[in-house]
Amino acid sequence: MTTTPSSSGRPSRFGAEVTADGVRFRLWAPDSRSVSLHLEDGNGGRDIDLRRDSDGWYETLVEGAGAGTRYRYRIDGDLLIPDPASRYQPDDVHGASEVVDPGAYGWRHTAWRGRPWEETVLYELHLGTFTPGGTFRSAIERLPHLAELGVTAVELMPVADFPGRWDWGYDGCYLFAPDAAYGRPEDLKALIDAAHGLGLMVFLDVVYNHFGPEGNYLYAHARRFFNPERETPWGAAINFDGTDSRFVRQFFIENAIYWLEEYRFDGLRFDAVHAIKDRSSPDILEEIADAVSESIDADRHVHLVLENDDNEARYLARTDGGRPRHYVAQWNDDSHHAYHVVISGESAGYYADYADKPVAHLGRCLTEGFAYQDDPSRFRKGERRGEASAHLPPLAFVDFLQNHDQIGNRAFGERISVLAAPAAVQAATAILLLAPSPPMLFMGEEWGAKTPFLFFCDFGPELTEPVREGRRREFASFPEFSDPAARERIPDPTVEATFRASALDWNDLDEDEHREWLALHRRLLEIRRMEIVPHLAGTGGHSGTWTAWGDRGLTCTWRLGDSSTLTLIANLSADHAPLPPERPAGRMIYAFEGYEGSMPKQGMPPWAVAWFLEVS
């Protein structure tokens, strides 16, 4: 089969591609008897028969076609489908695809090369609820707020085209197409361009473990995309290691490189990779990382991050020089769960694994990475979980108090600001934002937003009732929802009101309480930028130690990359506590209110946190 260069000059197999002579259309349809290209011209359209090669590829060059051309493929003389590698779906998942010229957007900040990983402070947001407009363009208006806050990286929840008008984004069917509900491809590029102009990196959440339940036509022409012998929570697993998996693998490799090169994203976050089934060597995660490393210009800072419930430290391994072999970091759910139990006292569900010694679990996360390192899990009925991680640097773990899952997977989408006492949340925030691990905030967290973030979607009528009832069944095992009447109170994820209720209310910033939270976050992030980040580069594994003292006291100490010493002491309880057994070395860089500059002699107040830095 013929391949033509992408906008970066590298070969591309999937999708419609603008060339000097027209548009080259190609589709991998190994399970089809015939394929024709259906060009839509307003007069009923016209079909062009395509020839098949021995691998199941259908291809043609249409002279005179260009950007803006609408098209679909007709499978076996009947079914019309969009291009699975469509670059834009203006009429949603069942409509025609539109040809996009990747070189049409004129980038303004062409000198941007990203930022080193040690400078990373992530801010996760959902585009549809981040601003009243809910678009790429309206998000641009709020970028100065993020730059002034002190975050350095915006992380977008998935934008790949999903069914309906609103969705979290994890039901994407067209992985190369920014969803039309948010705007056009050039609008997304404008958002990234504007962020770069303010010194902000932009990350994208990508989903390579399944396709959404509506709008996925791959079964009609390329059933080999799936392995029916392996199941995931969303159906048959993606076929990464079976018959013809080489083309499936290529699809996802191209997708990762596409977002990084054509859209100039600074990093990708790979969703729920524990649900990816692949026995190959190298497996698809390793192959994607290797392909990205080979494809991206050496002078760019591009960062790949995982979500992996299996806590597989091997993906985070470093070279002898300290560089990531494949992935720079992983979202550390262990850290979140430990924080949550410490400050909220909740112990149901997976929080049971952290309820026995929450402060100790938090100390281990802060200094060693995972809390569970091949340890038996009570929640998993004794199953051992995780791999040893103390040999990894703290920079290999993204820590957070909140994210879309941990809020939105609660029945009522409550944020930590309504679940825990303000003093407890403030203490956890002071630890999160000053610890060596890269911190992440969820949109609105910086001002203590109390608006919920609920689960929502907008599927067609055949899926509405199953999704609604499935959401309620999900909570039936919880004591507070054992009564069917109680489950009826759970917000319906399929109605517009649930989506609207999840939108941030920026008017909160007019209230003193929220301005105080914002001031705290700005202050802490300024301390991080000035006092901590300059010492992080080169920080290695086995760099941290922790000690629990008293009922809920914690001391953590790290040897940073330039041999400076960073020390945390904290009283993580609602009661006064004695001072820790050993006095921290160095200068106090942050302390609970009233004790800046020196430690008290009479002990530590409730939820007191202090940080010390000794520069080598």
Side-chain angles (χ1 to χ4, degrees), residues 18 103 149 265 307 363 397 427 480 490 538 556 558 590 614:
V18 177
L149 171 62
F265 278 100
E307 180 200 19
F397 303 93
E480 61 267 38
I490 297 174
C556 296
W558 296 264
Y590 172 83
E614 183 177 48

Side-chain angles (χ1 to χ4, degrees), residues 362-369 390 392 394 542-546 556-558:
L362 180 59
R364 195 180 198 196
C365 288
L366 290 170
T367 58
E368 299 182 24
L392 296 169
H542 299 290
S543 60
T545 59
W546 66 274
C556 296
T557 302
W558 296 264

